[in-house]
Amino acid sequence: AKPPFLRSTPVHRFVGKSLTNQLVGYTLQQAVAKSAAAAEGSRPSRAPRPEPPLLLHRLDQPTSGVVLCAKTKAAASIMQECWHG
């Protein structure tokens, strides 16, 4: 859930704390952990950079609540169709 007074999207790509930036950080951590687990016992390699999460709607900065996100463009497309009909 998005806490109140957290922006849904950053003011600029890398400026300011936002839900999008937090989700990007989380997906990067997950990719690194997955890559490390897969490389256990073998030569380490760079984790593939995951696609940035896609917010399917936004909440105003002072509003808290649930925000629907998708990991892939295909999932976003399906969810947008379900959401908007």
Side-chain angles (χ1 to χ4, degrees):
K2 182 185 100 49
F5 304 106
L6 177 67
R7 292 177 176 277
S8 293
T9 56
V11 175
H12 188 270
R13 187 172 178 193
F14 300 110
V15 178
K17 190 174 181 181
S18 71
L19 179 62
T20 301
N21 288 348
Q22 289 180 355
L23 289 169
V24 167
Y26 174 77
T27 57
L28 286 173
Q29 284 178 337
Q30 295 300 307
V32 168
K34 192 177 195 180
S35 177
E40 198 169 302
S42 65
R43 188 171 164 229
S45 62
R46 286 185 77 179
R49 188 168 185 89
E51 289 288 322
L54 303 161
L55 273 72
L56 301 177
H57 67 97
R58 293 176 17 160
L59 293 176
D60 291 337
Q61 187 174 351
T63 306
S64 64
V66 175
V67 178
L68 187 59
C69 303
K71 288 184 176 181
T72 65
K73 289 180 182 178
S77 177
I78 292 167
M79 293 307 298
Q80 286 284 1
E81 181 63 31
C82 291
W83 187 276
H84 296 288

